[in-house]
Amino acid sequence: MIPVELSQERILVACLDWGSGHVSRSISLLKQLSKQGNELFISCTTNQKSIFEGYEIRATYLKNDGFQFRFKGDGNFTSEMRRNVWHFFRWIKQEQRQTEKLVGKYQISLVLSDHCYGFRSKKVLSIFITHQVSLPPKAGWIAQQVHRKWMNRFNEIWIMDDAQQRLAGALSNSVPKSTYIGFYSRFQDQETSVISNKIVGIISGPEPYSKQFFQWIVEKYRTENLTLISPKLYSEVPNNITVICDWKLGDAEIASAETIISRNGYSTLMDLQFLKKKAVLIPTPGQLEQEYLASFFRSK
């Protein structure tokens, strides 16, 4: 099964609330599913809801507090994950119980989970959406096995990558039950242009890494004319830097940029696949996936 084959379904959807990448890449997928005559039920945080509503995605929105990762911001993601691990296990079990209740209450026929391990049902077809079928090698054997175990509990796996033109390298190697569904980006149907010398920075990722990146760009480019797309204004900025905290307004700035400065999260890479812009990509320190992707593209 692939997205284009779905119609007249009652679909329950959730996206991981680690940064905004999972929400970003779901926008065009959800629009497609709605256009094909499916009824959407989106389990999401208040922030995720405001983003989806900003893109006029028709759905019944169901409040979900999300996992709420707690990061220190020291660049040691192995330790960061260890600090969250027991809370993570409990959340997965709680998430599955909540999902079963929602499936029954809203007569759901299909569940779509963008990297939410517990968001599945034993009663209806449940599909796990990811680009990261395999974790980066440095994640370790134990983490890899746990990831595979949780992922394999779903009926199917949709890989957001292309079988021939792979953006995720070895991370998106196919496995049983998996299907490549191609690239998804909110920019895929948007016209773009180039304003000469226009630089746009994009702030993303979990806190406090977003704040750190904001401050780094402001310091590094403080003498440049720059537009920053950011979840919030973390600090005062020089007059030559404009900060935009609205997604839709930010999209117009990104579409007209000549150069983009951002993290190299996978959703950003899919955006760049459609935008065809110059980009300066800076991995989040210690984030193994971004470090792997940086190395992968540098080798190319």
Side-chain angles (χ1 to χ4, degrees), residues 259-275:
T259 302
I260 292 171
I261 306 166
S262 74
R263 296 297 193 194
N264 63 311
Y266 187 73
S267 297
T268 298
L269 296 180
M270 287 197 292
D271 290 342
L272 291 171
Q273 184 73 12
F274 292 97
L275 289 166

Side-chain angles (χ1 to χ4, degrees), residues 183-202:
F183 307 125
Y184 278 85
S185 167
R186 67 189 188 278
F187 295 102
Q188 62 192 65
D189 298 318
Q190 185 170 331
E191 291 186 8
T192 62
S193 59
V194 173
I195 295 178
S196 183
N197 298 321
K198 181 172 182 176
I199 303 173
V200 173
I202 304 173

Side-chain angles (χ1 to χ4, degrees), residues 15-279:
C15 304
L16 184 67
D17 62 326
W18 176 332
S20 56
H22 296 272
V23 169
S24 171
R25 71 189 191 184
S26 296
I27 290 169
S28 57
L29 174 60
L30 295 177
K31 283 187 172 183
Q32 175 188 347
L33 294 174
S34 179
K35 190 175 180 180
Q36 291 170 191
N38 299 289
E39 188 172 358
L40 303 180
F41 297 80
I42 303 178
S43 178
C44 57
T45 65
T46 301
N47 182 56
Q48 289 176 330
K49 178 185 177 183
S50 67
I51 294 170
F52 286 137
E53 287 183 328
Y55 288 89
E56 300 177 345
I57 294 174
R58 292 178 297 173
T60 298
Y61 290 96
L62 310 170
K63 189 173 183 348
N64 181 342
D65 291 332
F67 174 70
Q68 299 174 344
F69 288 88
R70 298 176 181 90
F71 294 105
K72 285 188 174 180
D74 58 8
N76 189 335
F77 269 76
T78 301
S79 296
E80 299 274 34
M81 296 309 294
R82 285 174 181 162
R83 282 192 288 267
N84 286 279
V85 67
W86 295 116
H87 177 47
F88 197 29
F89 289 157
R90 289 195 300 270
W91 171 251
I92 288 173
K93 292 181 179 179
Q94 178 183 337
E95 191 174 45
Q96 187 180 2
R97 290 195 295 268
Q98 291 175 339
T99 305
E100 295 290 15
K101 290 179 181 178
L102 294 175
V103 165
K105 181 176 181 179
Y106 294 99
Q107 298 179 307
I108 299 300
S109 59
L110 175 69
V111 173
L112 295 181
S113 166
D114 190 326
H115 221 104
C116 297
Y117 293 113
F119 199 79
R120 62 184 181 88
S121 171
K122 296 179 181 179
K123 300 174 184 176
V124 300
L125 184 69
S126 298
I127 299 176
F128 190 76
I129 304 173
T130 188
H131 65 280
Q132 203 167 181
V133 179
S134 297
L135 300 180
K138 291 182 180 180
W141 183 84
I142 295 176
Q144 195 75 260
Q145 294 305 307
V146 172
H147 168 64
R148 286 286 177 88
K149 179 181 178 180
W150 286 338
M151 190 171 59
N152 287 333
R153 289 173 176 171
F154 289 78
N155 301 105
E156 296 184 22
I157 301 166
W158 281 353
I159 305 175
M160 273 194 176
D161 206 344
D162 182 84
Q164 280 72 46
Q165 189 181 358
R166 300 268 286 282
L167 281 181
L171 302 184
S172 64
N173 287 340
S174 64
V175 293
K177 303 193 294 186
S178 68
T179 304
Y180 291 102
I181 62 171
F183 307 125
Y184 278 85
S185 167
R186 67 189 188 278
F187 295 102
Q188 62 192 65
D189 298 318
Q190 185 170 331
E191 291 186 8
T192 62
S193 59
V194 173
I195 295 178
S196 183
N197 298 321
K198 181 172 182 176
I199 303 173
V200 173
I202 304 173
I203 306 302
S204 61
E207 298 291 358
Y209 292 97
S210 286
K211 181 179 181 180
Q212 292 173 1
F213 193 42
F214 181 99
Q215 293 171 335
W216 182 87
I217 289 183
V218 169
E219 180 61 30
K220 184 76 173 179
Y221 292 89
R222 63 184 308 107
T223 60
E224 302 279 352
N225 290 322
L226 174 71
T227 300
L228 266 183
I229 316 301
S230 176
K232 62 177 75 171
L233 180 63
Y234 291 100
S235 61
E236 293 298 318
V237 299
N239 292 333
N240 54 294
I241 295 179
T242 301
V243 179
I244 296 176
C245 301
D246 180 276
W247 272 54
K248 292 297 287 292
L249 293 176
D251 285 356
E253 296 296 320
I254 293 168
S256 62
E258 179 178 48
T259 302
I260 292 171
I261 306 166
S262 74
R263 296 297 193 194
N264 63 311
Y266 187 73
S267 297
T268 298
L269 296 180
M270 287 197 292
D271 290 342
L272 291 171
Q273 184 73 12
F274 292 97
L275 289 166
K276 308 297 183 187
K277 305 284 187 181
K278 297 177 186 177

